[in-house]
């Protein structure tokens, strides 16, 4: 679609939504300043104390608009089968009628912003372009951080670059059909009528009723993952819910690792890891989304298409992620955290004791018996350039070569601390069978175990069984030597008393060290039914107080509970019917026979 198409489309959306005015964004610092000024004037932003936290703001959402709404997220492919059993689907023509009705006059009394943005460095062959239309200045300010908003995107479109049209409205017009005016509120939304809609064939996005980031910053989950995964299927690449890091060993050798964990399971912490073991260094390339493409030599190359971090605040502290704490010391937008007496922010886990005189995320004077002061899914949002652990090559247009891929989840039982897959196919099986205890990142019961294949359950824009197949085909198109090796990790295993068996955070560098030693062939590991785990003495435990018993439990593979896990995987796979790739069934049978067979289990 050309620049003329873009201008026509903007005109069409304006005549449907009927805003008071249309403003084209250019991504400049002045534009951001005036949007922030407007947000403070509207009461959406509270300016934090500039002496404590310069150029930073707090936004409080409507308490009904605090997370991604998966049951209102739709993949409207032409055929229902293409959306698959894990997505909500509606006939595209029916949804288009519904969207037209919803968006009709939805921006009355508001400004309609047109945001040209790039996912990836402008001009890079791996980059995708988009244009988001929104009536939310909060979205404009956040898109400035999370994507590259720039008039240069229009130049790329003029030169013929493809772009994804994305329309967003908070769904709360200020003037009704009769011409009556209503007063605006600090967080306009329409929570009873949320729709986050994707049309994969025409690569369009329409989002209505929610201002919360995951539903409204359409470059992120909607373009970079849902539409991105469809583009990847069609063009031979992968759009993944992963972090991306560079690890430098004491020998100064560099490795690049990506890792997929479900939402709010520690991707940002691993992305900014400060190793506890001497001589090792970790640098950040991305914390949430990675696009992976094979190069001419069959190596997989990865880029982070985002420009910022939108991380979960609770639990983040100088102990758990000191780099994140330093990186958000200025130029950060916080959403739904608590406000301190002196105009700074606070959340559960930032310090052991809550400061006195907090105002909670709903704007009320807070008392400890009132539940959390910050919403469990409250967020910080800062540009990649703030990141103190930023890797200088993070914007390299050709991306970095991937050496290892990690899959993880939040599992109190069964899954060992680390296991290496036996092959690419076995690694794909590990990704396809990720399950995790649910977090507050999405609406739904926290703690319930759910399958989240490749951590992509809410983000895969097509049939998940075809997506598994696409992963398998990526392996077939290269050689085992050129492909990254796949590992499964679990920092969250608990002992009989409900205590975490592994300290996690900075100590996870010990697991990374073992992984890299595996890549280098420096350690042999022990074959177990679920994969290769560290042999006795291979995991560097120097200076760490983990008891022998806890270590045994961390790697225990209990036949009974794994048999239940196998049955649950079988039932999960059955949901994909005939579309499930036969290689995954084979992997399940192999796991079953390894469990029944005599493969030695690890002794620590
Ligand atoms: C996120 C999520 O916001 O995964 O990154 O929910
Ligand atoms: Mn995420």
């Amino acid at each position: 679609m050309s620049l003329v198409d873009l201008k026509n489309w903007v005109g069409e959306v304006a005549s449907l939504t009927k805003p008071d005015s249309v403003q084209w964004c250019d991504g400049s610092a002045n534009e951001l300043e005036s949007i922030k000024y407007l947000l403070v004037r509207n009461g959406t932003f509270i300016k934090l104390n500039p002496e404590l936290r310069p150029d930073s703001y707090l936004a409080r959402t409507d308490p009904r608009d605090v997370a991604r709404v998966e049951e209102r997220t739709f993949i409207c492919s032409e055929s229902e089968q293409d959306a698959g059993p894990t997505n909500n689907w509606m006939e595209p023509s029916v949804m288009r009628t519904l969207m037209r009705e919803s968006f009709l006059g939805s921006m009355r009394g508001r400004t309609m912003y047109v945001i040209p943005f790039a996912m990836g460095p402008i001009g890079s062959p791996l980059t995708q372009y988009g244009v988001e239309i929104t009536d939310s200045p909060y979205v404009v300010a956040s898109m400035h951080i999370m994507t590259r908003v720039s008039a240069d995107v229009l130049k790329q479109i003029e030169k013929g670059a493809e772009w994804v049209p994305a329309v967003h409205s908070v769904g709360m017009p200020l003037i009704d059909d009769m011409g009556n005016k209503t007063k605006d509120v600090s967080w306009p939304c329409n929570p009873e009528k949320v729709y986050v809609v994707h049309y994969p064939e025409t690569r369009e996005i329409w989002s209505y009723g929610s201002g919360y980031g995951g539903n409204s910053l359409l470059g992120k989950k909607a373009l970079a993952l849902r539409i991105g995964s469809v583009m990847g299927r069609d063009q031979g690449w992968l759009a993944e819910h992963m972090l991306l890091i560079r690890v430098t060993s004491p020998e100064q050798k560099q490795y690049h690792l990506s890792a997929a964990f479900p939402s709010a399971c520690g991707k940002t912490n691993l992305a900014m890891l400060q190793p506890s073991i001497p001589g090792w260094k970790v640098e950040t390339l991305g914390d949430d989304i990675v696009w992976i493409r094979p190069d001419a030599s069959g190596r997989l190359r990865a880029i982070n298409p985002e420009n910022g971090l939108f991380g979960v605040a609770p639990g983040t502290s100088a102990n758990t992620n000191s780099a994140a704490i330093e990186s958000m010391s200025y130029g950060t937008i916080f959403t739904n955290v608590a406000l301190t007496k002196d105009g700074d922010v606070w959340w559960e886990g930032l310090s052991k004791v809550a400061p006195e005189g907090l105002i909670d995320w709903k704007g009320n004077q807070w008392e400890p018996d009132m539940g959390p002061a910050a919403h469990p899914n409250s967020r910080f949002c800062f540009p990649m350039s703030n990141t103190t652990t930023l890797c200088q090559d993070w914007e390299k247009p050709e991306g970095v070569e991937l050496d290892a891929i990690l899959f993880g989840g939040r599992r109190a039982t069964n899954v060992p601390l680390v296991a290496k897959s036996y092959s690419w196919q076995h690694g794909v099986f590990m990704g396809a069978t990720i399950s995790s205890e649910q977090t507050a990142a999405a609406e739904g019961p926290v703690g319930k175990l759910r399958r989240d294949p490749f951590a992509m359950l809410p983000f895969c824009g097509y049939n998940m069984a075809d997506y598994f197949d696409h992963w398998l085909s990526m392996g077939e198109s290269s050689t085992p030597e050129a492909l990254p090796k796949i590992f499964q990790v679990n920092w969250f295993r608990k002992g009989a008393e409900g205590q975490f068996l592994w300290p996690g955070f900075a100590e996870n560098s010990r697991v990374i060290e073992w992984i890299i030693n595996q890549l280098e062939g420096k350690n042999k590991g022990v074959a177990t039914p679920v994969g290769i785990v560290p042999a006795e003495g291979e995991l560097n435990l120097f200076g760490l107080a983990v008891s022998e018993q806890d270590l045994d439990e961390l790697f225990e593979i209990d036949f009974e509970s794994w048999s239940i896990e196998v049955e649950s995987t079988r039932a999960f796979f059955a949901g994909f019917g005939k579309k499930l790739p036969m290689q995954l069934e084979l992997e399940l049978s192999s796991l079953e026979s390894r469990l029944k067979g005599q493969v030695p289990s690890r002794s620590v």
Side-chain angles (χ1 to χ4, degrees):
M1 284 195 286
S2 67
L3 203 52
V4 177
D5 294 327
L6 167 58
K7 287 186 179 150
N8 289 342
W9 170 72
V10 171
E12 279 163 25
V13 176
S15 56
L16 175 70
T17 58
K18 307 192 186 325
D20 268 5
S21 58
V22 177
Q23 186 178 320
W24 285 73
C25 299
D26 59 12
S28 63
N30 280 348
E31 176 177 280
L32 184 56
E33 277 320 301
S34 54
I35 288 284
K36 291 195 278 201
Y37 178 80
L38 176 74
L39 283 160
V40 171
R41 213 183 56 198
N42 291 353
T44 312
F45 270 4
I46 296 166
K47 192 168 171 49
L48 297 175
N49 184 341
E51 276 169 30
L52 300 175
R53 211 170 287 266
D55 191 26
S56 297
Y57 299 85
L58 165 64
R60 291 190 192 120
T61 71
D62 182 304
R64 298 165 300 170
D65 190 21
V66 292
R68 283 185 292 100
V69 195
E70 291 178 7
E71 67 275 20
R72 309 296 302 162
T73 301
F74 293 84
I75 301 296
C76 295
S77 41
E78 293 296 330
S79 105
E80 183 170 6
Q81 240 221 347
D82 280 344
T86 59
N87 283 313
N88 301 314
W89 178 83
M90 204 186 284
E91 165 101 42
S93 60
V94 176
M95 183 60 98
R96 281 187 194 279
T97 308
L98 231 160
M99 286 297 97
R100 257 194 309 276
E101 284 165 14
S102 305
F103 279 84
L104 182 65
S106 74
M107 297 188 186
R108 277 206 183 101
R110 298 191 183 278
T111 301
M112 176 176 121
Y113 300 93
V114 183
I115 315 171
F117 66 94
M119 300 309 290
I122 294 176
S124 155
L126 301 182
T127 293
Q128 301 290 342
Y129 301 98
V131 180
E132 177 162 350
I133 287 180
T134 180
D135 53 6
S136 160
Y138 170 87
V139 168
V140 179
S142 306
M143 286 291 282
H144 261 256
I145 295 179
M146 295 306 298
T147 73
R148 289 138 172 115
V149 176
S150 167
D152 287 347
V153 170
L154 301 180
K155 292 193 193 131
Q156 295 290 330
I157 293 175
E158 207 166 11
K159 281 198 263 168
E162 293 288 323
W163 57 280
V164 174
V167 187
H168 169 253
S169 173
V170 293
M172 206 194 122
L174 294 173
I175 304 171
D176 70 13
D177 293 345
M178 314 297 290
N180 301 318
K181 291 194 174 161
T182 13
K183 220 172 140 269
D184 204 0
V185 292
S186 59
W187 188 269
C189 59
N190 190 345
E192 261 80 67
K193 226 186 137 193
V194 171
Y195 285 96
V196 185
V197 178
H198 310 74
Y199 300 102
E201 279 92 0
T202 49
R203 295 180 186 160
E204 289 166 81
I205 303 161
W206 288 75
S207 168
Y208 182 87
S210 166
Y212 169 76
N215 304 320
S216 68
L217 310 179
L218 300 180
K220 192 174 177 63
K221 303 301 186 180
L223 194 163
L225 288 178
R226 297 194 191 99
I227 297 293
S229 60
V230 173
M231 291 175 168
R233 173 198 63 188
D234 298 345
Q235 300 166 359
W237 52 278
L238 294 164
E240 297 302 323
H241 191 205
M242 289 178 172
L243 64 92
L244 183 61
I245 50 177
R246 168 178 291 170
V247 179
T248 307
S249 69
E251 295 79 34
Q252 299 307 307
K253 199 161 167 204
Q254 292 178 351
Y255 305 84
H256 296 102
L257 274 58
S258 72
F261 301 131
S263 307
C265 286
K267 280 201 299 298
T268 306
N269 292 340
L270 185 55
M272 301 177 94
L273 184 85
Q274 312 266 292
S276 60
I277 44 177
W280 290 82
K281 185 159 123 194
V282 171
E283 290 165 289
T284 312
L285 289 105
D287 85 319
D288 195 44
I289 298 177
V290 178
W291 287 345
I292 303 171
R293 251 180 224 256
D295 66 14
S297 66
R299 291 281 283 158
L300 299 190
R301 289 195 165 265
I303 64 159
N304 163 23
E306 299 199 273
N307 190 51
L309 283 84
F310 180 65
V312 176
T316 310
S317 72
N319 294 329
T320 62
N321 190 341
S322 59
I325 294 291
E326 283 163 27
S327 307
M328 65 179 84
S329 60
Y330 65 98
T332 300
I333 300 174
F334 296 89
T335 303
N336 286 342
V337 300
L339 182 67
T340 65
K341 257 194 327 221
D342 49 4
D344 201 4
V345 287
W346 190 83
W347 48 81
E348 277 66 24
L350 180 62
S351 56
K352 274 217 178 85
V353 182
E356 286 200 1
L358 283 180
I359 310 282
D360 74 4
W361 67 277
K362 291 183 185 158
N364 301 320
Q365 201 72 44
W366 182 76
E367 298 295 338
D369 60 355
M370 286 168 65
H375 187 277
N377 191 35
S378 53
R379 299 283 176 144
F380 52 79
C381 176
F382 57 78
M384 286 294 289
S385 56
N386 273 34
T387 309
T388 53
T389 49
L390 190 64
C391 174
Q392 60 170 10
D393 288 336
W394 82 280
E395 294 193 283
K396 230 173 151 183
E398 69 277 22
V400 294
E401 285 185 357
L402 268 189
D403 298 295
I405 297 176
L406 278 49
F407 291 123
R410 198 178 272 274
R411 288 296 305 264
T413 58
N414 280 21
V415 180
L417 178 65
V418 58
K420 184 182 172 205
S421 62
Y422 287 114
S423 62
W424 180 265
Q425 183 172 299
H426 181 220
V428 173
F429 174 82
M430 283 176 167
T433 52
I434 293 181
S435 58
S436 191
E437 290 143 25
Q438 199 158 313
T439 67
E443 297 282 338
V446 171
K448 191 168 169 259
L449 197 66
R450 78 163 180 176
R451 292 279 168 181
D452 191 349
F454 292 84
M456 282 288 279
L457 184 71
F459 308 122
C460 182
Y462 61 103
N463 191 310
M464 191 59 103
D466 291 335
Y467 166 85
F468 296 159
D469 206 45
H470 185 44
W471 261 90
L472 290 164
S473 70
M474 294 292 285
E476 283 150 18
S477 64
S478 192
T479 56
E481 298 72 46
L483 286 169
K485 305 295 169 279
I486 301 181
F487 296 79
Q488 182 175 41
V489 296
N490 176 25
W491 321 137
F492 300 97
R493 195 151 174 182
K494 288 186 178 164
E497 268 86 61
Q499 81 287 12
F500 283 111
L501 293 168
W502 179 249
F505 304 107
E507 305 302 354
N508 292 337
S509 52
R510 298 170 190 268
V511 176
I512 305 274
E513 180 187 36
W514 182 80
I515 287 173
I516 285 174
N517 284 338
Q518 268 288 311
L519 300 179
E520 290 291 351
K522 283 194 193 159
N523 57 33
K524 291 221 292 286
V526 173
T528 76
V530 301
I532 297 168
V533 302
E536 193 170 347
E538 283 182 357
L539 193 62
N540 174 358
L541 297 172
F542 186 76
L544 194 66
V546 175
S547 71
E548 282 291 316
Q549 195 194 332
D550 281 3
L551 259 187
D552 283 345
E553 279 187 65
L554 264 175
F555 288 98
E556 193 193 346
I557 292 155
D558 177 68
F559 179 79
E560 289 298 313
S561 42
W562 267 95
S563 303
I564 297 169
E565 182 108 13
V566 162
E567 280 321 309
S568 127
T569 301
R570 184 159 286 129
F572 170 64
F573 279 176
F576 296 101
K578 289 210 174 60
K579 266 193 166 278
L580 184 83
M582 147 225 126
Q583 295 94 317
L584 294 186
E585 276 184 49
L586 273 175
E587 283 299 329
L588 183 59
S589 316
S590 311
L591 169 63
E592 210 174 7
S593 22
R594 285 196 300 265
L595 281 163
K596 287 187 187 144
Q598 300 314 311
V599 183
S601 55
R602 179 186 185 277
S603 69
V604 189

